[in-house]
Amino acid sequence: MAENKKHIVVLSGAGISAESGLKTFRDGDGLWMGYNVEDVATPRAFKKNPQLVLDFYNERRRDVAAAKPNAAHIGLAELEKDFNVTIITQNIDDLHERGGSSNVLHLHGQIFQMRSVANINTIYDIRGDINVGDLAPDGFQLRPNIVWFEEAVPMMEEAAALLHNCDYFVVVGTSLQVYPAASLLHYAPPFLPKFIIDKKIPAVSSYSNLHLIEKPATAGVEELRKLLVK
């Protein structure tokens, strides 16, 4: 990490990808593409009806492949010209990477990866579909490398540590309702400048050093860049 550049840590959520056409479950009565989250995004759902869950994520994979990074993704990547930037994303898409960001930590896994149900550490790339009967080399069923609700978030410790080694914390496009990711604000030191970008600012009034930008991600990141890049 270049010593002469200040470090920005960004937490991004579904709102940033929504402007690329990817739906969020919090925008529609707890439904995600017409499904109850409990039916497609929990270990219990996978045990009950694995093909339904696999089909759901196969469709999400096609959606992500067809989507394109928007001005918010690209704008955050362009901040790397002047800052060291680490993206912590709750999103399972690869739009930050395709937008040009070079340092992305995926809290909830990645849609273009899969793994054995018996081994969380051996990851395989996947661009097509996964079906019941598709086995990993260890002989166990393959599943998306996604952190479902009710599962541990293995990258949380690494993400939280970043907030003690940065100069700015930016939260963009997240309702701060999905835990433990939403708790990252708790780890940010009181003195750390915090920029909250969302079309509807979440409940953050208890935190200090806040800069609120109540705009969609694309417009909000543009405003952020004007504030930070002198």
Side-chain angles (χ1 to χ4, degrees):
M1 186 176 291
E3 293 297 330
N4 59 332
K5 288 184 177 181
K6 290 190 174 182
H7 183 199
I8 301 173
V9 172
V10 179
L11 172 65
S12 73
I16 194 171
S17 295
E19 291 188 74
S20 290
L22 298 178
K23 300 292 186 182
T24 71
F25 70 81
R26 68 183 171 90
D27 283 342
D29 299 325
L31 299 179
W32 189 4
M33 302 300 293
Y35 292 88
N36 286 308
V37 172
E38 293 80 5
D39 293 334
V40 292
T42 65
R44 289 179 292 109
F46 188 68
K47 186 175 181 179
K48 177 182 177 183
N49 193 338
Q51 192 61 59
L52 173 68
V53 174
L54 292 173
D55 286 343
F56 177 81
Y57 284 97
N58 290 339
E59 187 63 31
R60 303 290 70 72
R61 199 173 296 110
R62 290 188 283 271
D63 290 344
V64 172
K68 291 180 170 55
N70 60 52
H73 297 104
I74 295 166
L76 290 173
E78 288 179 347
L79 283 172
E80 293 187 17
K81 297 173 184 175
D82 299 285
F83 301 91
N84 290 308
V85 182
T86 303
I87 307 288
I88 304 168
T89 187
Q90 297 170 261
N91 300 331
I92 60 175
D93 60 64
D94 64 343
L95 295 181
H96 280 297
E97 288 89 342
R98 282 195 273 148
S101 288
S102 61
N103 190 11
V104 184
L105 187 158
H106 286 265
L107 281 180
H108 296 154
Q110 300 185 56
I111 193 64
F112 291 122
Q113 293 181 348
M114 61 183 178
R115 65 172 176 84
S116 162
V117 297
N119 185 348
I120 66 171
N121 296 315
T122 305
I123 309 300
Y124 308 93
D125 292 334
I126 174 68
R127 303 298 295 192
D129 291 351
I130 310 171
N131 293 293
V132 171
D134 292 345
L135 305 181
D138 63 8
F140 289 90
Q141 173 67 42
L142 286 161
R143 56 162 277 184
N145 186 35
I146 304 297
V147 178
W148 287 325
F149 291 94
E150 303 171 6
E151 291 185 322
V153 181
M155 303 301 289
M156 265 301 296
E157 187 173 338
E158 180 179 344
L162 287 167
L163 296 181
H164 294 280
N165 186 32
C166 68
D167 300 286
Y168 304 102
F169 183 38
V170 177
V171 177
V172 54
T174 172
S175 63
L176 295 175
Q177 294 177 354
V178 176
Y179 284 82
S183 68
L184 282 173
L185 259 178
H186 301 326
Y187 292 93
F191 60 82
L192 185 68
K194 306 165 189 71
F195 296 83
I196 313 295
I197 302 170
D198 202 87
K199 61 184 180 181
K200 183 179 180 182
I201 298 294
V204 291
S205 59
S206 61
Y207 297 96
S208 57
N209 283 327
L210 292 175
H211 305 263
L212 306 181
I213 302 175
E214 194 160 22
K215 294 181 178 180
T218 48
V221 168
E222 182 179 2
E223 183 171 328
L224 174 75
R225 292 177 64 208
K226 290 176 180 176
L227 291 169
L228 293 182
V229 180
K230 306 300 183 183

